[in-house]
Amino acid sequence: FIISSIMIGLTITMFSEARIFEKQSFAHLLQVAALYKDNLELPCDIKSPILGDNVILVIWYKGNQESPAYTFDARSKSGTLHWSEATISRRWHFVSNAQPAVLKIAQVELSDMGEYRCRVDFKKAKTRNTFFNVTVIVPPHDLIILDEIGEAVHSIAGPYIEDEESTFLCVATGAVPSSQQNWIHVFHHRSNLQAAFTCVADNTDGRRPLRKSFTIDIILLPKNVKLTSEKGSFRDGNEAVFQCQVDGVKSAPLIHWYLNSKLLDVNSACQNNVLQMEMICRLTLNLTREMHGKDLECKIEINSTNKYNDNASKHSGSSLTLDVQYAPKVELKLGRNLENSIVPQGGDAYFECHFDSNPQPKKIIWRKEGKMLSPHAGYAYLISGITLVLQRVNRQAVGSYSCFVKNDIGSTESPAVQLKIKSPPFCAMGQSLEFPVEKHETVSIPCVLESNPPASSFYWHFNSSSHFIDLTHTQIKGNIMDISKDSQLQSLSSLSSTTSEYFQTA
């Protein structure tokens, strides 16, 4: 169908064959328009105003020529005589019995353009002159449609980007009088896809119009882009399928996938339905916990870079936020004011259970030495959310602590954190306190101490019923084993005595 029709050229009132339109000027000049290669009739009234009077001679003059171009002589007794110049003898003919009489000119040429005079002589009446100005109109023989860069458009123009505008110039050639140039402004709406734009050149009053039509190739932009998934939430380590649907495109555009604005090196399977102007692309991703909360986006790129557009890519897209569910990731930390996991005896200690969990945990359990913390632990503690507070700690609080976190996906226990109590030396439990020996027998007496930090200095004392003596290296008969800093075995050897007590202090 025709969206636009443009009339170019001069608007001239035309005639059909055997008829003319006359407009008398102030100089009594009849204006006559003739179509090139059509037939022309110039009327000349040869009826005398005097009753009974007759015409005797009709002479046609062209231009400023003094000699006749055509004569009609009714004076001859042998009959009416017609005479014309050799160049027009085959095309000109005067019809005297027509009402009014006419000069017929066949196959009008450009040379027929000009002024004409019809002179009529009567027997009695005065000579009559009728003046004509003949214009020969040549219809255009070709139409040229130019685009905005000056290139000729044949049948299809473009491609152009949807919703942009362009201008076309319609030029008619060969027309006499020459035709004006006309501009066609086109808005590239999708409704104009496959529509025909027609340029019409006509200076013949509809007798010989010249038409030329063309269509415009339009690069359609997506009307809608929608990213969807099979599920609303996903599990860590599982595959998920995402669908990107693009509506309103006639050819498959480029599609790119982004995760938090970072281009993914992935390929998606796409199906393009040309009839429905729809494209569907599916992407399969292996999801991880690190993807949770990030935006997955399918971005459509319409590349329209061509001779009309320089780097004119258009983008549109759709995104969704990933909900990836995973088992808790747990880490246990001591309070910031505690250094090296050592707490003074009688002081307070607290732990913080840090976790990354989706969904949020349903349960948090505190453990000591792998067992659930008991209310009868031998020391006071408080649990508040993710915090464990140990109050007035003693040696019984020493050990490894962990927190156990569980959600709908799974459960995780944190790596254990060792709690140490700063305490003075004390004798380790379970060591022997009596050593029966024979006289002059050599004996080693171990004394195992526990402390934090480890003891660094040790002192031995001898206690009998009558003496209490600090032992020095010179007072000990035999060898004295060095007592290491980690409270390992301390021994006194090669010692002879009666029943006595030995003390070691640190």
Side-chain angles (χ1 to χ4, degrees):
F1 57 95
I2 296 176
I3 296 299
S4 175
S5 178
I6 305 299
M7 175 75 74
I8 67 173
L10 297 178
T11 303
I12 302 174
T13 305
M14 300 301 299
F15 60 91
S16 62
E17 187 173 350
R19 296 193 55 146
I20 62 171
F21 172 79
E22 301 175 354
K23 182 178 180 181
Q24 189 168 2
S25 69
F26 292 106
H28 303 286
L29 191 67
L30 296 178
Q31 301 291 337
V32 180
L35 275 180
Y36 179 68
K37 294 300 182 182
D38 209 340
N39 296 329
L40 170 64
E41 294 182 356
L42 297 178
C44 184
D45 187 5
I46 60 174
K47 186 177 180 181
S48 174
I50 300 175
L51 185 63
D53 193 13
N54 294 314
V55 62
I56 58 174
L57 184 64
V58 179
I59 305 174
W60 286 90
Y61 297 91
K62 183 177 185 295
N64 296 322
Q65 296 179 1
E66 294 182 358
S67 59
Y70 187 98
T71 61
F72 172 81
D73 191 350
R75 295 171 299 179
S76 176
K77 296 181 180 180
S78 59
T80 304
L81 296 178
H82 295 262
W83 177 90
S84 61
E85 293 180 353
T87 56
I88 60 176
S89 60
R90 295 182 180 181
R91 297 189 302 111
W92 288 34
H93 180 67
F94 185 71
V95 181
S96 60
N97 57 358
Q99 294 297 327
V102 294
L103 175 65
K104 290 187 176 182
I105 302 176
Q107 298 291 304
V108 172
E109 302 284 350
L110 286 175
S111 59
D112 295 328
M113 186 181 303
E115 294 183 354
Y116 290 78
R117 177 167 64 97
C118 176
R119 170 183 167 180
V120 181
D121 293 334
F122 300 96
K123 286 183 179 181
K124 299 179 181 180
K126 293 182 179 181
T127 299
R128 177 189 297 155
N129 289 283
T130 305
F131 299 90
F132 303 88
N133 183 44
V134 175
T135 301
V136 178
I137 296 176
V138 181
H141 64 78
D142 192 17
L143 278 177
I144 300 175
I145 300 174
L146 302 176
D147 58 23
E148 59 264 40
I149 62 175
E151 293 189 1
V153 176
H154 300 287
S155 58
I156 300 176
Y160 296 93
I161 302 176
E162 182 182 6
D163 294 338
E164 293 189 353
E165 295 184 63
S166 60
T167 302
F168 300 91
L169 177 62
C170 187
V171 180
T173 62
V176 176
S178 60
S179 301
Q180 64 181 9
Q181 298 180 349
N182 287 267
W183 298 90
I184 305 175
H185 298 281
V186 180
F187 181 72
H188 301 306
H189 190 268
R190 64 178 51 235
S191 61
N192 288 337
L193 185 65
Q194 303 302 325
F197 291 82
T198 301
C199 176
V200 180
D202 187 12
N203 57 358
T204 66
D205 197 22
R207 288 292 304 278
R208 296 183 192 174
L210 185 62
R211 293 180 172 87
K212 188 170 185 178
S213 299
F214 65 98
T215 59
I216 296 179
D217 185 14
I218 301 175
I219 300 174
L220 298 181
L221 302 177
K223 293 177 62 178
N224 181 52
V225 181
K226 186 176 182 180
L227 178 60
T228 58
S229 61
E230 297 176 340
K231 301 177 181 179
S233 60
F234 314 93
R235 288 202 174 188
D236 177 29
N238 290 351
E239 286 188 343
V241 178
F242 300 90
Q243 177 175 293
C244 185
Q245 180 172 328
V246 184
D247 297 326
V249 291
K250 67 174 182 175
S251 58
L254 297 175
I255 182 169
H256 303 289
W257 295 88
Y258 292 83
L259 187 64
N260 265 20
S261 301
K262 182 179 180 181
L263 179 64
L264 296 177
D265 185 15
V266 294
N267 294 317
S268 54
C270 297
Q271 294 179 337
N272 188 32
N273 190 323
V274 178
L275 294 179
Q276 295 185 3
M277 300 180 72
E278 174 187 87
M279 185 183 75
I280 296 177
C281 295
R282 292 180 175 87
L283 174 68
T284 301
L285 274 183
N286 186 24
L287 300 179
T288 63
R289 63 190 303 143
E290 290 77 17
M291 295 180 179
H292 174 65
K294 294 184 178 180
D295 292 329
L296 179 66
E297 179 184 17
C298 67
K299 184 175 289 187
I300 308 304
E301 179 181 352
I302 306 295
N303 187 358
S304 60
T305 302
N306 51 36
K307 61 183 179 181
Y308 304 112
N309 308 290
D310 183 17
N311 193 22
S313 295
K314 301 290 185 179
H315 298 86
S316 59
S318 176
S319 64
L320 57 80
T321 302
L322 297 177
D323 181 14
V324 182
Q325 297 185 347
Y326 46 87
K329 182 179 180 181
V330 188
E331 182 182 11
L332 183 62
K333 293 183 178 180
L334 275 169
R336 296 180 181 178
N337 61 338
L338 302 178
E339 297 181 359
N340 301 321
S341 305
I342 301 177
V343 182
Q345 184 168 308
D348 295 338
Y350 67 93
F351 294 91
E352 292 180 349
C353 185
H354 297 269
F355 58 83
D356 175 21
S357 173
N358 185 41
Q360 289 299 305
K362 302 173 66 176
K363 184 184 294 185
I364 300 177
I365 299 175
W366 291 90
R367 291 176 174 175
K368 179 185 177 186
E369 305 295 343
K371 296 180 180 181
M372 185 174 177
L373 199 59
S374 169
H376 308 290
Y379 49 90
Y381 65 86
L382 296 173
I383 297 176
S384 175
I386 64 171
T387 304
L388 170 65
V389 180
L390 307 180
Q391 298 177 313
R392 299 180 299 279
V393 295
N394 52 34
R395 294 195 303 268
Q396 291 178 301
V398 174
S400 59
Y401 289 80
S402 63
C403 62
F404 176 87
V405 182
K406 182 179 181 180
N407 66 7
D408 290 335
I409 306 302
S411 58
T412 307
E413 186 172 8
S414 71
V417 174
Q418 188 72 24
L419 178 65
K420 300 176 182 179
I421 306 298
K422 185 181 292 185
S423 62
F426 61 92
C427 290
M429 302 294 292
Q431 59 181 314
S432 298
L433 300 179
E434 293 185 1
F435 297 88
V437 296
E438 296 290 336
K439 188 177 180 180
H440 303 295
E441 181 181 355
T442 299
V443 63
S444 293
I445 303 176
C447 183
V448 180
L449 298 178
E450 292 183 358
S451 66
N452 189 22
S456 58
S457 301
F458 302 90
Y459 305 92
W460 285 86
H461 306 277
F462 175 73
N463 184 21
S464 66
S465 56
S466 58
H467 299 87
F468 182 86
I469 304 173
D470 289 333
L471 298 179
T472 63
H473 288 277
T474 58
Q475 292 172 322
I476 299 175
K477 304 286 177 107
N479 298 320
I480 299 176
M481 300 295 292
D482 291 334
I483 301 174
S484 66
K485 292 182 180 181
D486 57 0
S487 298
Q488 293 181 352
L489 175 65
Q490 314 297 322
S491 63
L492 178 63
S493 61
S494 301
L495 180 64
S496 299
S497 69
T498 58
T499 301
S500 306
E501 294 181 355
Y502 292 84
F503 300 93
Q504 183 188 38
T505 59

